Amino acid sequence: MMTFMSIFNTIWAGFLAAMFLASVARADCPEVEEVRDALRAYDNQEPIFQGLIYGSVAMLEIWASENEWTSVLVMPDGTACIMDEGARWRLLWGDPA
């Protein structure tokens, strides 16, 4: 059974994704393989998460190295946009690969 907070979080995540997708649609994003190759070359980042976005056909990828992370939005047309990047990340739960 879904709680109010889980429903709210799902709706909020969908809203944020829709707002971001609307803004990215006007951006010039390279091909997904070009972005992935660049992330591997830059600080040896590798993918640590992939997930479909609710209410969308886009996919979110999180890439990371020991000290840095990058979030990437992969669009259905084969392009990918870097959403954000940062440093000093940690795994909060789960077993690291």
Side-chain angles (χ1 to χ4, degrees):
M1 182 173 160
M2 293 184 71
T3 66
F4 172 77
M5 285 308 295
S6 64
I7 293 170
F8 174 80
N9 289 339
T10 300
I11 292 170
W12 182 245
F15 171 75
L16 291 176
M19 295 302 291
F20 182 77
L21 288 173
S23 68
V24 168
R26 295 182 295 273
D28 183 24
C29 298
E31 295 293 317
V32 65
E33 289 306 319
E34 183 180 336
V35 172
R36 289 173 177 163
D37 290 345
L39 289 170
R40 283 187 177 97
Y42 176 76
D43 199 32
N44 298 315
Q45 291 191 29
E46 292 293 330
I48 62 169
F49 173 84
Q50 289 181 324
L52 295 176
I53 297 173
Y54 284 121
S56 173
V57 291
M59 181 172 56
L60 174 67
E61 293 184 346
I62 306 296
W63 289 67
S65 66
E66 186 176 328
N67 297 316
E68 297 182 356
W69 60 268
T70 305
S71 60
V72 178
L73 183 66
V74 180
M75 305 298 282
D77 65 358
T79 59
C81 300
I82 293 179
M83 296 170 43
D84 212 344
E85 57 189 356
R88 298 184 183 176
W89 68 278
R90 65 185 171 128
L91 188 64
L92 297 177
W93 59 272
D95 186 20

